[in-house]
Structure formats: C-alpha cells, structure tokens
Amino acid sequence: MSIDQFAKDFTAAVREDRADDYTAMWADDIVSCEPGEGPMSRCEGREQLQQKHDWWNANAEVHSFECAGPYVVGDQFAVNYSMDVTMDGERNEFHETAIYTVRDGKIAEERFFYPTGE
Amino acid sequence: MSIDQFAKDFTAAVREDRADDYTAMWADDIVSCEPGEGPMSRCEGREQLQQKHDWWNANAEVHSFECAGPYVVGDQFAVNYSMDVTMDGERNEFHETAIYTVRDGKIAEERFFYPTGE
C-alpha cells in the first residue's frame, strides 16, 4: 500500500473514531511523543500507548473533533487536529499538529506539536 | 543553548526575514523536504537550499506572512506558516506546517507539510 493510501486510511479511522482500525496500524514498538516532561510525554510500545488512550477516554469529554489532512512528505504525514474538550471541569478549544512516521507499513512514531503556555 | 531558545531564535529570524541569521543556523548538510517529486521537493546541503530560497525570492510576491510557534517536542520543533502570495500571476492564501530537526545545535532537516490538491 502506498503511504498516501495508508495515511488516508489511518486519518479516516481516527476521524471516525474506529479505534480497532487505527490501533491495528500501530507498530508494536510505536513511540508516541508530546511536549514536556510529564509521565505521558513519551510512551513506548502498544501497551503504554493504549493506557494513554484509556486515560484520555476516561478524562476528556470531547464536544467536537476535526481533522485536516493527511499531508504526506516522504515517510511521514501530518494531520492537524482541532477539538473542543472539557477536562477537569474546564472547556477549551485545542489545536495540534501530529506528525506520523511510517516504517514497514505501520505507524512507528507519532509526535504531537502544540503550544504549552511556556 | 536549549532547543527551546534555539527554536525561538530561529523562528524570530524567519519571522523578521533576517536571512543571514536563520541561514547561519542551518547545518552545512541540511536536508529540506516538501511534498511531491518536483526538482525542489528535496534539497540536500546549504548550496541547494540557498538556490531554492533564491528561486522563491525571485518568483514569489509575499503580501503577508505569519508564523505561529515554535512548538518543541524532543529534538524537533514545529512552526505554522500562513502567507498571502502571488506566484505566476495568481494570488493565494497558503498554510503549511514546518517541522525542524535539530542536531548538534543546527537545523539538520526541515520538512514542510501542506495540501497538494491531489
């Protein structure tokens, strides 16, 4: 499968919240990185990343969610996410860019870029 | 210098169009990647990248230019660019995300993600 088609399939699965489909596209040793030094700023492997998703699903109330992309360059693609989320009783709009790295037909790395207020 | 400060300095130089300052932050073997398979979709080395900049400066009339960021994650940072540009007689708004990879205190790679209309 071309990376263009892979990127479209992955983004469609995320957009439609088909977790079984997009998690099947993760490499077993996927690395997931966010800004900062928090406990979930770096997850290594499918199990840690699943725990992060479980934490998010238990703590975030998502009122709306939009994806723009994917935009492919070489072995990577970008997706821009916009969401309206309530966490800890506070409702905010949130924008981030995810960069996904594809190796051997799987997502080997995902990295999320967004302002941290620093 | 921390990557946070490096990223801020680089982004400020780009925002203020201080070419001598931001090109001094490139590694000599910098790689610059864009979508597609065109002649300038991959530049390797300072000389090729300078030629790309010269081509852009000769062909693009930039009416406005905005940067959002930088957003640092690990050894990389993102900058979101928005610009209003006339090229080949056609005026368009253009948005892209640049991901910069820092190694040994220099920009080792820059990669630009944007829609290609495909």
Side-chain angles (χ1 to χ4, degrees), chain B residues 27 30 35 48 63 67 69 76 80 103:
Chain B
I30 186 171
Q48 277 189 17
H63 308 288
C67 308
Q76 295 186 312
N80 292 322
R103 273 198 294 272

Side-chain angles (χ1 to χ4, degrees), chain B residues 14-75:
Chain B
V14 171
R15 180 180 284 123
E16 295 160 15
D17 200 24
R18 289 186 275 108
D20 285 351
D21 290 338
Y22 68 73
T23 61
M25 300 174 85
W26 294 349
D28 288 339
D29 59 351
I30 186 171
V31 174
S32 176
C33 303
E34 304 224 7
E37 305 290 334
M40 278 183 281
S41 63
R42 183 179 174 90
C43 293
E44 297 190 15
R46 173 180 291 280
E47 193 177 337
Q48 277 189 17
L49 186 51
Q50 187 59 57
Q51 287 170 5
K52 180 179 169 184
H53 278 245
D54 293 344
W55 172 85
W56 172 262
N57 290 330
N59 288 279
E61 185 188 356
V62 179
H63 308 288
S64 70
F65 179 75
E66 288 178 26
C67 308
Y71 312 125
V72 174
V73 186
D75 61 349

Side-chain angles (χ1 to χ4, degrees), chain A:
Chain A
M1 188 190 298
S2 71
I3 186 169
D4 296 85
Q5 189 59 51
F6 179 90
K8 282 178 190 169
D9 290 353
F10 181 82
T11 306
V14 172
R15 182 180 282 123
E16 295 159 14
D17 200 23
R18 289 186 275 110
D20 285 351
D21 290 338
Y22 69 71
T23 61
M25 301 173 84
W26 293 349
D28 287 340
D29 58 351
I30 186 170
V31 174
S32 177
C33 302
E34 305 224 7
E37 305 289 333
M40 280 182 281
S41 64
R42 185 180 173 90
C43 294
E44 296 191 14
R46 174 181 291 280
E47 192 177 339
Q48 277 190 15
L49 186 50
Q50 187 59 56
Q51 287 171 5
K52 180 180 169 183
H53 278 246
D54 293 345
W55 172 86
W56 171 261
N57 290 330
N59 289 279
E61 184 187 356
V62 180
H63 307 288
S64 70
F65 179 75
E66 287 178 26
C67 308
Y71 311 126
V72 174
V73 186
D75 60 349
Q76 295 187 312
F77 64 94
V79 182
N80 291 320
Y81 296 114
S82 297
M83 58 193 100
D84 174 7
V85 182
T86 297
M87 285 191 76
D88 300 326
E90 202 172 323
R91 184 166 176 169
N92 286 299
E93 297 228 351
F94 190 73
H95 305 278
E96 66 183 358
T97 297
I99 303 294
Y100 298 97
T101 304
V102 179
R103 273 197 294 272
D104 302 327
K106 299 281 186 179
I107 305 283
E109 185 186 286
E110 57 178 19
R111 206 181 279 222
F112 297 94
F113 298 84
Y114 53 84
T116 56
E118 280 167 14

